Amino acid sequence: MMMAYPHTRRWTRGVLHLFLILFGLLMLYPIIWMAFSSFKPESEIFSSQLLPTHWMISQYTKGWSALPEINFGTMFRNSIFISFISVIGSLFTSSLTSFAFARLKFPFKKTLFAILMVTMMLPAQVTLIPQYIIFHKLNWINTYYPLTIPSFIGASPFFTFLSIQFIRGIPKDLDEAAKIDGCNMFQIYWRIILPLTKPALVTVSIFSFYWSWNDFFGQLVYLNSPSKYTIALGLQNFLDQQGQSQWGQMFAMSVLSLIPVFIVFLFFQKHLTRGIATSGLKG
Amino acid sequence: MATTHTEITIKKSKLRKRVAPKYDKAAALFLLPWLIGLVGLTIGPMIASFYLSFTHFNLLQDPKWAGLSNYKQILTADEYFTTSLRVTAIYVVSSVPFRLAFALFVALLLNRKIKGIGIYRAAYYIPSLMGGSIAISIMWRNIFGETGLVNKALHVFGIHGSAWLGDPHYALYVISLLSVWQFGSTMVIFLAGLQQIPESYYDASAIDGASKLQQFFKITIPMLSPVIFFNLIMAVIEGFMQFTQAFVITNGGPINSTLLFALYLYQKAFTDFQMGYASALAWLLLILVGILTALLFITSKFWVHYESGEE
């Protein structure tokens, strides 16, 4: 239901616009303020002024190499690597699994689907310790394997659920026609369903990028040598080591870490909101 | 009869279907990666963690059977457990209702055909997108400091702000507020729900003389109740698992006033290396969340309305 008010007078609409703009600005103000503050000298950060009196980029250049063992460039590369592999992994399993659930007949289908739904709500803490022990036994601690490999075996059931919902919306006539033409299930998947699920695949990619880019807990648990650090770990360590004295540099690096999030948002905003709306994914 | 021929072929094809294997063999291959993960990452670890919760285990030596002693210790002698439960309960109660109410309020405002609505929706969604990151936690820690942005703003109104994060009375609410601020994804789900309500309901009730307020309580809320319920469940579960923000902003302090359950569990497992004990904590968390979800489902019978026929 879209409320259209044909009789709404111009001024009520004006009031609404004004309210939405002011309220939106109030909400986004901290982020805007942080972005401007990253160009201020340390002494100005706690002044009540929004804009820097004179702009400087030294917070960025100093912050870039603020940690002794690793610079932010390397951490960016590490974060991008982990996110990239996680996206591939999520696409791989969510697409295969969802095709089976949406189109194929197999025993215990209902039970398995119920299990899939339950795993979406399962608190991660319950499996955390044994998973850690497994990765420890495999000698995977302090590598990127625990942060990437699980995505290839369906670590995020949300993505599978989203793709199932999407494939269920594709008319079955197409598969039936292909079946009559002699296509087997793999051909139907590869030639018919996969190209048609592109919007769902895009949504899965965006969310798995966000989740692994913003992930902190997994990286905190599994990575411990500074040369392996990601952006999130780097920022946290920066805060721990120099903490309250280097807010400017910390803001500068924080702003940099948010730029990829913002760019992806600008380009894929429609996919994002649709993904949330259809399956309740959280941003 | 002209139809006989087709009837026969239909019968034939039905017969063939019955004879042909009932299941798609290919399914096994399609499901294989997920099944491996299900066993290796979820079911196996759950069984293992259940076993470990009855042992003492420090990762270096083999687990030692300890019977019920972990659970006994947690439930009778662990004051941090009670603290963390209380803190988590306050966190959930002080963030979830406000987040839902706020998200619904904004969704109602944004559910109109006005110019630039897409830009508004996008802008209101940004905090939710970025809120989970370390960057925002760092920012939050700064703006709620004693000389931070929030106190500067309060000063304009003549209010002398406190050192919010240093004060055990306020620190937790600062973290709750961050959760409320991330209302965006909840709002988007509400918006999708609002768009499902047929406009004719509003038109009909308007003809009958219903006020906007009556429409809200008699149409919007009941029609939206399944969506409210979904958002409620997800927000509660998420609240019980919250870790990053409490870790970065306050690390449980001051005086354990922000020691969320997930944070306490992390400390037990990865600072004290009491893996058995932490597993017992995890199982208690699972039981607790399970009971809570079940209770919410039971109460939902009284306030969630599903339209007959659909879903």
Side-chain angles (χ1 to χ4, degrees):
Chain A
M1 189 252 352
M2 275 274 199
M3 277 189 220
Y5 294 108
H7 308 297
T8 314
R9 284 208 224 121
R10 192 172 282 168
W11 67 266
T12 28
R13 222 181 268 187
V15 169
L16 181 68
H17 275 291
L18 192 70
F19 179 77
L20 286 175
I21 290 169
L22 287 180
F23 198 56
L25 276 179
L26 179 73
M27 243 182 30
L28 294 177
Y29 192 79
I31 301 177
I32 300 167
W33 173 82
M34 176 166 76
F36 281 121
S37 293
S38 66
F39 295 101
K40 291 176 188 168
E42 203 63 39
S43 57
E44 259 180 52
I45 282 179
F46 286 102
S47 77
S48 41
Q49 214 177 338
L50 175 62
L51 296 173
T53 41
H54 32 255
W55 295 68
M56 48 184 274
I57 58 155
S58 67
Q59 304 286 24
Y60 283 83
T61 49
K62 279 190 216 150
W64 189 262
S65 44
L67 290 180
E69 304 94 338
I70 180 170
N71 68 34
F72 267 83
T74 319
M75 291 190 252
F76 257 96
R77 215 185 50 210
N78 294 344
S79 279
I80 289 170
F81 175 76
I82 294 172
S83 300
F84 182 74
I85 304 288
S86 302
V87 169
I88 307 277
S90 305
L91 287 175
F92 174 74
T93 22
S94 68
S95 157
L96 289 178
T97 315
S98 61
F99 177 74
F101 273 112
R103 285 295 200 260
L104 301 180
K105 289 191 214 85
F106 52 88
F108 306 115
K109 189 168 169 176
K110 278 202 174 137
T111 318
L112 286 171
F113 186 71
I115 289 174
L116 179 82
M117 300 295 287
V118 170
T119 56
M120 289 205 294
M121 298 210 269
L122 196 69
Q125 281 85 358
V126 183
T127 52
L128 169 75
I129 290 162
Q131 280 183 10
Y132 182 85
I133 295 166
I134 294 169
F135 294 136
H136 181 80
K137 289 252 158 76
L138 289 170
N139 260 330
W140 280 7
I141 304 300
N142 206 23
T143 70
Y144 298 138
Y145 296 129
L147 303 171
T148 50
I149 300 295
S151 70
F152 285 87
I153 45 177
S156 304
F158 261 112
F159 299 143
T160 305
F161 178 62
L162 177 135
S163 307
I164 293 173
Q165 297 295 84
F166 193 89
I167 297 177
R168 278 179 181 164
I170 298 172
K172 273 196 175 150
D173 321 7
L174 288 167
D175 325 17
E176 302 287 339
K179 223 182 261 177
I180 290 165
D181 287 347
C183 282
N184 64 34
M185 280 305 169
F186 293 99
Q187 287 165 323
I188 290 174
Y189 165 73
W190 190 253
R191 297 208 186 140
I192 311 231
I193 298 296
L194 200 60
L196 286 173
T197 48
K198 216 187 262 167
L201 298 177
V202 174
T203 308
V204 167
S205 309
I206 299 166
F207 277 96
S208 74
F209 165 75
Y210 277 136
W211 289 3
S212 73
W213 187 265
N214 283 340
D215 171 45
F216 174 67
F217 189 73
Q219 300 172 358
L220 177 74
V221 167
Y222 291 116
L223 301 178
N224 39 45
S225 76
S227 64
K228 295 271 162 59
Y229 275 1
T230 57
I231 284 288
L233 283 181
L235 283 171
Q236 154 67 16
N237 262 49
F238 194 5
L239 184 72
D240 258 7
Q241 287 175 19
Q242 341 220 341
Q244 324 288 348
S245 59
Q246 304 290 352
W247 283 112
Q249 294 176 29
M250 214 133 56
F251 283 169
M253 292 308 110
S254 297
V255 169
L256 283 185
S257 80
L258 291 175
I259 286 176
V261 176
F262 192 65
I263 291 176
V264 171
F265 169 72
L266 281 186
F267 282 98
F268 297 103
Q269 183 234 324
K270 282 250 164 61
H271 282 280
L272 238 135
T273 43
R274 207 184 300 138
I276 299 166
T278 51
S279 62
L281 289 160
K282 83 185 170 65
Chain B
M1 285 231 287
T3 50
T4 339
H5 178 67
T6 50
E7 264 170 20
I8 287 166
T9 48
I10 286 170
K11 267 182 192 159
K12 256 188 190 165
S13 72
K14 267 186 185 166
L15 259 172
R16 199 178 302 145
K17 255 185 197 162
R18 215 166 285 156
V19 174
K22 223 172 135 195
Y23 297 126
D24 294 300
K25 279 188 184 139
L29 276 173
F30 279 99
L31 288 170
L32 190 64
W34 176 70
L35 285 173
I36 293 173
L38 184 67
V39 174
L41 293 175
T42 308
I43 296 176
M46 277 184 78
I47 296 166
S49 111
F50 189 65
Y51 164 72
L52 286 174
S53 73
F54 298 102
T55 66
H56 293 307
F57 183 39
N58 64 4
L59 209 60
L60 299 172
Q61 288 134 352
D62 285 339
K64 248 184 257 144
W65 183 256
L68 282 168
S69 71
N70 285 331
Y71 288 99
K72 215 168 155 191
Q73 167 100 24
I74 292 170
L75 294 172
T76 58
D78 186 346
E79 53 173 321
Y80 293 113
F81 171 71
T82 5
T83 305
S84 70
L85 266 194
R86 200 188 60 232
V87 168
T88 311
I90 297 174
Y91 172 74
V92 169
V93 170
S94 66
S95 63
V96 173
F98 292 100
R99 179 178 179 159
L100 292 193
F102 194 56
L104 181 57
F105 170 69
V106 178
L108 286 168
L109 281 183
L110 293 178
N111 185 36
R112 300 153 200 262
K113 280 179 188 145
I114 53 170
K115 244 184 218 158
I117 193 70
I119 298 169
Y120 288 127
R121 285 179 190 163
Y124 279 86
Y125 176 64
I126 287 179
S128 156
L129 192 65
M130 300 184 164
S133 66
I134 298 292
I136 295 299
S137 290
I138 287 175
M139 178 194 89
W140 215 252
R141 182 164 163 170
N142 179 289
I143 65 175
F144 280 94
E146 198 164 8
T147 51
L149 190 63
V150 171
N151 281 348
K152 287 268 153 54
L154 289 175
H155 188 75
V156 176
F157 299 102
I159 302 165
H160 182 72
S162 136
W164 306 106
L165 292 170
D167 190 327
H169 296 293
Y170 298 120
L172 184 60
Y173 298 111
V174 173
I175 297 173
S176 302
L177 195 64
L178 179 50
S179 159
V180 178
W181 187 66
Q182 292 172 263
F183 67 94
S185 46
T186 316
M187 171 198 80
V188 173
I189 298 171
F190 275 140
L191 260 174
L194 285 172
Q195 282 160 13
Q196 298 292 316
I197 306 176
E199 201 154 344
S200 55
Y201 289 20
Y202 291 92
D203 296 343
S205 67
I207 291 166
D208 291 344
S211 69
K212 280 261 156 6
L213 205 66
Q214 282 173 320
Q215 286 183 336
F216 177 73
F217 284 110
K218 300 283 180 191
I219 301 173
T220 312
I221 292 287
M223 291 294 289
L224 207 58
S225 57
V227 182
I228 298 175
F229 180 62
F230 173 83
N231 275 335
L232 177 68
I233 294 262
M234 293 321 269
V236 167
I237 293 176
E238 204 189 307
F240 271 90
M241 290 165 60
Q242 181 54 253
F243 169 83
T244 304
Q245 297 167 351
F247 183 83
V248 176
I249 299 175
T250 51
N251 200 7
I255 333 178
N256 294 323
S257 62
T258 57
L259 186 69
L260 290 176
F261 196 87
L263 189 58
Y264 179 52
L265 194 148
Y266 169 81
Q267 289 176 353
K268 273 288 162 203
F270 297 102
T271 316
D272 303 346
F273 285 101
Q274 298 187 23
M275 296 289 180
Y277 198 84
S279 298
L281 284 173
W283 270 88
L284 287 172
L285 172 72
L286 180 67
I287 293 165
L288 200 74
V289 171
I291 292 174
L292 216 61
T293 314
L295 281 177
L296 286 175
F297 266 99
I298 291 168
T299 61
S300 77
K301 291 206 177 89
F302 301 103
W303 62 274
V304 177
H305 303 268
Y306 290 100
E307 270 201 284
S308 53
E310 273 185 273
E311 286 178 309

